[in-house]
Structures are given as structure tokens and as C-alpha cells.
Amino acid sequence: QVQLVESGGGLVQAGGSLRLSCAASGSIFSINAVGWYRQVPGKQRELVATLTTGGNTNVANSVKGRFTISRDGAKNTVYLQMNSLKPEDTAVYYCYADLYAPPLRSWGQGTQVNVSS
């Protein structure tokens, strides 16, 4: 099992920046990929960014050029750097980790991001 704890959310004005952190603990050796989703009440959860253990990254078109996913292996932490934030980026952001064995997905508790216009 892997435990994930997010932090870094908050309130920011449009055009500002935030950095979300996701600290992993437990069976981190079994992690295959990590990433971030976001969800607005009443809407489907949206995949924002992914990062594989091989270092491949992918971000959604809606945040491309503004958001960057990265990791610090020494700290077992994944980051989501969010720049040029827009009001439509307001959501609860969840990090996840996909495990090799057993093949399952662990989720963090979520962190709220509010972007004011």
C-alpha cells in the first residue's frame, strides 16, 4: 500500500502561481506512475498531469504550457507547479499513484485550489 498526502493548495489571484506537493510513503518501490487529477463539483474528474517512473510526462491540453509535473526522489514527493492560473483552474486537486503489484491505484485526500478573477 502507498499513502499519499497532498499540500500546497489555497487561494490565489488569476495570473498567480501555486505549487502542489504529494508526499508518498509505504510501498513506494511498487509505484509505476504518479499524477494529478482535478475535480469540480458536478463535473467529471479531469486528468491534469502524469509522470512515469521512466521520467515520461504528459499534461492535459487545458494546462499545457502552464502546469509542470516533477518529482524529488530523495523526498518521495511529486509536485505540480501551476503558473498563470485561471479561474477555471479552481478545483480540488488529487494526486494518485499506480502500483505494479498489486495493480491498484492509491489516492491522496485532495487539496483545494481557488483562483479568483
Side-chain angles (χ1 to χ4, degrees):
Q1 287 286 351
V2 170
Q3 294 77 44
L4 303 172
V5 178
E6 298 115 332
S7 60
L11 174 64
V12 64
Q13 287 190 331
S17 298
L18 282 175
R19 189 179 76 162
L20 305 183
S21 300
C22 176
S25 61
S27 302
I28 58 174
F29 57 87
S30 65
I31 294 177
N32 181 32
V34 294
W36 293 88
Y37 275 81
R38 65 187 181 185
Q39 188 164 27
V40 176
K43 294 190 176 181
Q44 197 167 9
R45 192 171 287 192
E46 176 189 16
L47 179 61
V48 176
T50 62
L51 171 61
T52 69
T53 52
N56 295 315
T57 63
N58 194 23
V59 294
N61 287 333
S62 59
V63 304
K64 195 162 290 185
R66 301 187 297 121
F67 290 13
T68 304
I69 186 170
S70 63
R71 66 185 174 195
D72 184 333
K75 296 182 178 179
N76 297 324
T77 300
V78 176
Y79 302 99
L80 185 67
Q81 178 66 44
M82 307 186 295
N83 299 328
S84 302
L85 283 161
K86 304 176 181 180
E88 51 263 43
D89 294 319
T90 295
V92 178
Y93 284 72
Y94 299 89
C95 70
Y96 73 88
D98 286 336
L99 310 184
Y100 286 108
L104 54 82
R105 173 168 286 183
S106 294
W107 290 95
Q109 81 285 359
T111 186
Q112 178 72 48
V113 171
N114 291 308
V115 184
S116 63
S117 57

